[in-house]
Amino acid sequence: VEDDRSIVSVLSEFLRNEGYAVACVPGQAEAMKRLSEEKTDLVLMDVSIANGNGFSACKAIKSEYGIPVIFLTASGDEFSTVTGFELGADDYVAKPFSPLELIVRVDSLYRRMDAGPGDTVSTASVSWDKPRYTCRSGCSGRSPHRTYSSHPKW
């Protein structure tokens, strides 16, 4: 979901060359219509889009369809980044960015989504989900009473 035609053109071509099927829309209304008509695995979206904004679109997409959303945006300030994640974004990439970095981030997101049972390490009181970077305390046969999320800092 991007209203800058030059970005859409370059990024679409790159993604198609990497084997991804790509559908492009300029704004929130078109995105929601497209999602209701066609199965979609991932949404790449700018914060500033036509007839709406990326933050409200992300919230609607996550609540209605539950599919991953990655923001690709010039709004790379801390407030915008935190807001994006709080509204459900799965990743947030500031422009300018490398198309190759985007592919790596998309592949990483899919790996986390496809994590299998061997990707969790458990002890009597703690369960660590390696790909999702989540840790649950108090997991000895009952519901966890605390969940922690830790992401590596590079």
Side-chain angles (χ1 to χ4, degrees):
V1 184
E2 170 68 66
D3 55 5
D4 183 325
R5 291 179 190 261
S6 63
I7 293 173
V8 169
S9 175
V10 171
L11 192 55
S12 295
E13 182 179 347
F14 185 83
L15 290 167
R16 285 185 182 108
N17 288 340
E18 291 294 317
Y20 291 93
V22 178
C24 307
V25 296
Q28 183 172 346
E30 297 90 347
M32 298 309 290
K33 183 176 187 302
R34 184 84 179 221
L35 289 170
S36 72
E37 297 171 348
E38 195 172 305
K39 182 184 179 323
T40 302
D41 297 320
L42 170 69
V43 174
L44 303 175
M45 179 169 23
D46 196 350
V47 170
S48 301
I49 56 176
N51 61 46
N53 73 68
F55 293 140
S56 63
C58 176
K59 187 174 181 179
I61 290 166
K62 295 303 271 189
S63 70
E64 290 183 42
Y65 302 100
I67 59 176
V69 173
I70 297 177
F71 278 110
L72 306 175
T73 182
S75 304
D77 61 280
E78 181 180 29
F79 177 78
S80 297
T81 303
V82 169
T83 300
F85 280 119
E86 286 179 339
L87 292 173
D90 295 277
D91 205 347
Y92 199 102
V93 182
K95 293 175 186 173
F97 60 89
S98 154
L100 184 56
E101 177 186 352
L102 176 61
I103 296 299
V104 171
R105 287 174 179 267
V106 168
D107 290 345
S108 176
L109 174 62
Y110 284 138
R111 272 195 315 275
R112 289 191 306 273
M113 290 171 51
D114 294 337
D119 294 326
T120 302
V121 177
S122 298
T123 67
S125 62
V126 175
S127 176
W128 174 251
D129 184 336
K130 294 183 289 187
R132 291 180 181 85
Y133 295 103
T134 42
C135 180
R136 294 180 180 210
S137 136
C139 292
S140 54
R142 57 185 192 274
S143 296
H145 36 286
R146 286 190 194 96
T147 299
Y148 304 95
S149 208
S150 171
H151 299 281
K153 295 185 180 176
W154 309 105

